[in-house]
Amino acid sequence: MAREELTRLTGNGNGECGEDDCPNVYRTVSGSFVIQGDVSDAFTPPSGEGIVEIPESVLREAIRALGW
């Protein structure tokens, strides 16, 4: 899946990073979410999975963008 196929919910100039490439939440065509953030070493996820850490403000921005 290419980034262009995702709907960017955060980082559109209103948050901490503006237009920069930083923690973001994206929505896929199927309605699931793709999260971009700093790699976390909080625990080791199962093979094929990864964990990222994003600020609470980014999640709040995504929720506002979805109208929740």
Side-chain angles (χ1 to χ4, degrees), residues 32-53:
S32 62
F33 297 94
V34 174
I35 310 297
Q36 173 187 351
D38 295 326
V39 175
S40 175
D41 61 357
F43 63 91
T44 302
S47 179
E49 296 183 4
I51 55 173
V52 297
E53 186 173 336

Side-chain angles (χ1 to χ4, degrees), residues 4-43:
E4 295 77 29
E5 299 175 66
L6 304 172
T7 300
R8 187 173 176 169
L9 300 175
T10 58
N12 295 313
N14 302 327
E16 299 171 5
C17 300
E19 294 290 336
D20 292 340
D21 201 22
C22 60
N24 280 298
V25 178
Y26 300 86
R27 192 163 198 186
T28 68
V29 174
S30 67
S32 62
F33 297 94
V34 174
I35 310 297
Q36 173 187 351
D38 295 326
V39 175
S40 175
D41 61 357
F43 63 91

